[in-house]
Amino acid sequence: MKKNIAIIAGGDSSEIVVSLKSAEGIYSFIDKEKYNTYIVLLTQEKWEVQLDNGKTVPIDKNNFSFSFQETSVRFDFAYITIHGTPGENGLLQGYFELIGIPYSSCGVLASALTFNKYILNNYLRSFNIDVAESVRLFRGQTLTPEELSKICLPVFVKPNDGGSSFGASKVQTLSALQPAIDKAFKEGKEVIVEQYLQGCEITCGCYKTKDKEVVFPITEVVTDNEFFDFDAKYNGQVDEITPARISAELTEEIQRQTLKIYDLIGAKGLIRADYIITADNKPVLLEVNTTPGMTVTSFIPQQVRAAGLDIKDVMIDIIENEFN
């Protein structure tokens, strides 16, 4: 019998618009001859499954099932594509652990670790991974002169416990710093103020199963915007070049490091690591995405195509790894 696959989108942050686009992408990638596939929308107000006839029916949270026309459908696997809480920070992973449903992404600890940029970077720093200098702020806090002296302008200000598509700013002057912090706090409970690094921005995706590891070609990100913001990511204001225009030696170094990071955080499923290559040809980690965007034009599908792989086969790897 076909397995029932739930593609879980939605969430409780501004990232919901990205999540819905990713869900549509994943739905198109999964082999319908092999799996019964449904998109499930999760928000604070409702949990519901979208049916082929356009109707929606509620999800039973007790066992993550739904009933339609006197038939009860139980899900065999959950593909999580919620960007932000609760799908990227371990909360939803904990729920599926409790009720015993396999899922696509990193587990509770790895998800919580990577969701907090400051904690992740300082954890990886202890394993000699180069990361940008940064300061973390909680609500009500402001930067002390000592903290500010660690990070020379310009800086990036962004939510520490959220995505980087909303609430992020590049700050060039002291007068713009506090407004940027206030903006970031609208998207999260913590804010990270991070050293700006000049260089070439690149990103590398990978995944591992019980019997293989796959690291993709690297993508170079070129935009005329101040940084790789929402418009660059989703409104086409960017050139994404795969494979990146860097040396074979540097490509191999970044791919090895991405696989190393995968193991250090205890990752599962697809991840993507973002870097800046500085003037001295050193890759500096920016962040790790454990539920990377999966629209048709997102980085991971691009890299899959550049590797000469079929995205349907990648989806099968991710799903079947939980049952082998």
Side-chain angles (χ1 to χ4, degrees):
M1 292 181 64
K2 291 183 180 180
K3 295 184 180 74
N4 295 319
I5 309 299
I7 302 170
I8 303 174
D12 305 323
S13 73
S14 299
E15 299 274 342
I16 186 171
V17 295
V18 183
S19 174
L20 295 174
K21 290 177 180 288
S22 288
E24 291 173 2
I26 294 167
Y27 186 86
S28 72
F29 300 149
I30 292 179
D31 189 342
K32 307 302 185 300
E33 293 184 5
K34 191 174 179 66
Y35 304 106
N36 298 318
T37 309
Y38 303 84
I39 292 178
V40 177
L41 180 66
L42 266 62
T43 66
Q44 286 185 331
E45 291 76 30
K46 59 188 176 184
W47 289 29
E48 60 184 22
V49 61
Q50 300 175 3
L51 303 180
D52 290 340
N53 60 11
K55 292 184 178 181
T56 60
V57 294
I59 290 285
D60 183 346
K61 296 180 184 179
N62 292 300
N63 57 11
F64 205 68
S65 67
F66 70 92
S67 297
F68 181 68
Q69 294 181 344
E70 300 182 355
T71 300
S72 179
V73 177
R74 297 285 297 271
F75 286 110
D76 301 294
F77 181 87
Y79 199 110
I80 300 173
T81 188
I82 291 178
H83 308 296
T85 187
E88 202 170 6
N89 57 358
L91 297 181
L92 196 55
Q93 288 80 359
Y95 166 75
F96 285 125
E97 292 282 355
L98 286 171
I99 64 174
I101 292 182
Y103 54 90
S104 59
S105 62
C106 294
V108 175
L109 178 58
S111 296
L113 174 65
T114 55
F115 193 63
N116 190 301
K117 300 176 182 69
Y118 182 83
I119 297 295
L120 172 69
N121 285 358
N122 282 279
Y123 169 73
L124 291 176
R125 193 197 304 271
S126 69
F127 294 97
N128 298 315
I129 304 293
D130 289 314
V131 298
E133 292 292 337
S134 61
V135 174
R136 178 172 61 164
L137 297 176
F138 296 95
R139 289 193 185 278
Q141 284 185 318
T142 57
L143 283 170
T144 66
E146 181 182 4
E147 288 171 331
L148 193 56
S149 68
K150 292 181 184 178
I151 307 171
C152 298
L153 293 171
V155 294
F156 279 114
V157 178
K158 50 193 175 183
N160 186 50
D161 52 344
S164 299
S165 297
F166 296 90
S169 306
K170 182 180 176 182
V171 176
Q172 307 267 17
T173 64
L174 278 175
S175 62
L177 184 57
Q178 190 57 49
I181 292 171
D182 294 339
K183 175 183 174 182
F185 268 126
K186 292 178 181 177
E187 298 292 337
K189 297 178 181 178
E190 303 175 21
V191 165
I192 184 170
V193 181
E194 188 175 73
Q195 173 191 11
Y196 168 72
L197 297 171
Q198 180 73 39
C200 171
E201 185 166 352
I202 57 98
T203 185
C204 180
C206 71
Y207 71 96
K208 296 188 179 187
T209 66
K210 294 181 178 71
D211 55 8
K212 68 178 177 181
E213 65 179 29
V214 179
V215 61
F216 300 127
I218 294 170
T219 299
E220 179 182 348
V221 182
V222 182
T223 179
D224 291 330
N225 295 11
E226 275 290 308
F227 61 98
F228 190 48
D229 58 8
F230 182 87
D231 284 330
K233 290 178 182 177
Y234 303 109
N235 291 330
Q237 298 175 13
V238 67
D239 290 322
E240 298 167 359
I241 303 164
T242 309
R245 298 169 297 182
I246 59 177
S247 69
E249 293 77 14
L250 187 55
T251 295
E252 291 174 6
E253 178 187 346
I254 292 167
Q255 289 174 325
R256 283 196 303 271
Q257 179 159 299
T258 302
L259 290 170
K260 177 182 177 182
I261 289 170
Y262 194 100
D263 292 336
L264 287 172
I265 64 176
K268 183 165 71 76
L270 287 161
I271 73 160
R272 202 190 77 230
D274 301 339
Y275 302 87
I276 287 285
I277 301 173
T278 57
D280 56 356
N281 235 26
K282 181 173 69 174
V284 180
L285 181 72
L286 297 178
E287 61 181 271
V288 176
N289 298 277
T290 58
T291 56
M294 290 292 285
T295 70
V296 174
T297 59
S298 291
F299 290 127
I300 292 291
Q302 285 185 52
Q303 293 173 4
V304 169
R305 290 192 294 271
L309 302 174
D310 189 327
I311 191 69
K312 285 185 178 177
D313 293 333
V314 174
M315 294 293 100
I316 291 171
D317 280 350
I318 299 299
I319 295 168
E320 294 302 322
N321 188 57
E322 298 301 306
F323 300 98
N324 294 334

